[in-house]
Amino acid sequence: MSGASGSIDVTSVSVVGLGYVGLTVAAVLASRGFRVTGIDVDRERVSAVSSGRCPIHEPGLDRLVRRSVSRGTLAATTDYTAVRETSVTFVTVGTPSNSDGSIDLRYVREASRSIGEALRGKPDGHLVVVKSTVVPGTTGKVVVPTLESSSGKRVGEGLFVCVNPEFLREGSAVRDMLEPDRIVLGDAGDGSSDLLLELYRRLYRRRMPPVLKTNYVNAELIKYANNVFLAARVSLINEFANLCQLIPGADVKVVAEGIGLDERIGPHFLRAGIGFGGSCFPKDIRAIVALSRELGHDPRITRAVYEVNELQPSVVVRTAEELLGDLMGKRVAVLGLAFKPNTDDVRESPALKLVRLFAQRGAEVRAYDPAAGENARRELGDTAEVVGSVEECLEGADLCVLATEWDQFRSLRPEDFASLMREPALIDGRRVYDPKEFSGKVRFRAIGLGPADG
Ligand code: NAD
């Protein structure tokens, strides 16, 4: 146990960046009795949280935010001086891509500088936790020097810095934060990890997950390796899905089930579809590819994982052309716009790529999503009409594509499509419908489903 342990009050926390990760961390800690102040530069977001409203769609998060604000354990502000009143600060700002794919560390730098300035002259110790996903080397070469120069403090002498990558998934962020598979901690060998461990012990008590302690760069690398491995599974199964579509009687769902039973492979992340998206996989892959190249290394498999994914939405368009011929002037209904169900996040959503591809071919696209409609409308402009219900979306369409597997869409039956559409043709981009039930009643195609046998 290091000398750092026990020297700060780990129940007093600030969280910098109130997005999907930051707000989840803040609200979960606040709901468990930690005193939490969220800090964000986005005034609208801060004012929503301050009044107990959750600015994003994430199951269970609105209740935690409302209750914690009303109990007084969660507050939000744009004022960084709040950092000084706390002992632990989580950095959860975004780390998007630059135009060349490399990581854009602007927000991490700004946040580190503002945190350091707030800590200048603070007499007690303070722990800064880098939770944002950052390429290896960032904490040591960017965060630490920025914090040190703006605070006038030295790491290990009242200032502690720890890397703690986040593995939660949008759509189940609260559950994932409450029941993580493991906790990864990286520090400079100064005991910073032990301080954070003390916080997590208070949070998880007897349900403490396994902990891996290492240095900064390994902790940073683990996050990227994790995402690349998961993305690779998706691209691999999608590659087999595309092959299955060419083989009579083949079905990637059965193939995935078969390989998933192999203990060495396991069943997760083997669902074929229109590709992965979201705010993490694509940009994290680009970032690690860019860093590898900078270091003179060619990450061939990682590049291929990305390339397969980039092409996946076009498989749906090809299938649509097989069904309808020329798409010019055809009415296409797209069900689902979020990059996955149970979120309103459309960042790099393959559903949006699909909409754009159809529009480029002259199709008239109508789309519907239970939660992401507004965000999608902002992204798509007049490329598509984003409507308010399944019925409006399907009405008069020549083709429907299921792009995001919301529960609301799973319950649709062939008759729903047949009764509303002009020409009921359906492409199941997420493999939620039973081909046996649908094939007789609508013109049915699905990702990874070969032509009927014989
Ligand atoms: P987000 O874009 O939803 O939220 C980022 C927030 O940071 C925004 O509210 C923004 O206004 C705020 N911000 C930007 N600059 C700031 C500054 N200087 N000071 C204070 N606030 C500032 O991002 P996110 O999806 O929550 O991701 C955050 C980080 O966590 C990223 O590095 C991401 O890769 C990583 N991550 C995300 C997920 C996920 O599922 N979204 C999962 C694991 C890890």
Side-chain angles (χ1 to χ4, degrees), residues 72-318:
T73 52
L74 177 63
T77 176
T78 55
D79 182 0
Y80 265 90
T81 56
V83 164
R84 205 183 162 84
E85 308 307 317
T86 65
S87 299
V88 182
T89 301
F90 285 91
V91 177
T92 52
V93 296
T95 46
S97 295
N98 287 312
S99 55
D100 64 355
S102 62
I103 189 169
D104 178 354
L105 289 173
R106 190 179 355 162
Y107 307 119
V108 170
R109 278 202 184 86
E110 285 168 9
S112 305
R113 196 183 52 243
S114 306
I115 293 166
E117 283 164 0
L119 293 179
R120 187 168 273 276
K122 184 186 176 202
D124 338 313
H126 199 96
L127 171 67
V128 177
V129 182
V130 180
K131 220 177 214 324
S132 296
T133 301
V134 291
V135 291
T138 304
T139 303
K141 291 186 196 148
V142 176
V143 176
V144 166
T146 309
L147 282 171
E148 287 187 336
S149 66
S150 55
S151 68
K153 291 170 180 276
R154 287 263 153 276
V155 163
E157 297 167 15
L159 175 63
F160 303 97
V161 178
C162 188
V163 177
N164 173 219
E166 180 53 59
F167 301 99
L168 63 74
R169 297 159 296 180
E170 285 177 27
S172 55
V174 171
R175 184 157 36 91
D176 292 346
M177 168 85 191
L178 286 169
E179 295 167 18
D181 292 339
R182 73 333 201 160
I183 294 171
V184 173
L185 304 171
D187 70 16
D190 60 353
S192 301
S193 292
D194 292 323
L195 292 172
L196 188 54
L197 211 48
E198 198 180 315
L199 180 151
Y200 282 130
R201 285 209 184 92
R202 282 174 193 250
L203 175 65
Y204 297 119
R205 296 171 189 268
R206 272 182 312 207
R207 294 164 70 187
M208 189 70 189
V211 175
L212 180 103
K213 282 203 239 174
T214 180
N215 57 17
Y216 290 155
V217 287
N218 284 331
E220 291 164 331
L221 268 168
I222 286 167
K223 175 64 191 175
Y224 284 94
N226 209 88
N227 276 358
V228 172
F229 264 76
L230 292 173
R233 289 172 71 102
V234 177
S235 279
L236 265 176
I237 202 67
N238 281 342
E239 196 160 85
F240 271 93
N242 300 345
L243 177 63
C244 284
Q245 268 176 249
L246 303 172
I247 300 175
D251 185 347
V252 76
K253 253 185 128 168
V254 181
V255 175
E257 192 183 342
I259 61 177
L261 289 169
D262 185 326
E263 269 187 23
R264 294 166 302 177
I265 295 174
H268 302 296
F269 273 75
L270 288 180
R271 282 224 311 270
I274 63 169
F276 57 76
S279 69
C280 290
F281 282 8
K283 73 131 171 112
D284 290 351
I285 293 178
R286 287 193 296 267
I288 208 70
V289 167
L291 179 84
S292 303
R293 283 186 165 150
E294 219 179 287
L295 297 172
H297 166 67
D298 181 11
R300 292 187 183 87
I301 296 181
T302 309
R303 280 197 291 110
V305 166
Y306 190 80
E307 283 160 21
V308 168
N309 191 62
E310 283 291 285
L311 292 175
Q312 196 60 9
S314 61
V315 173
V316 175
V317 176
R318 262 204 315 279

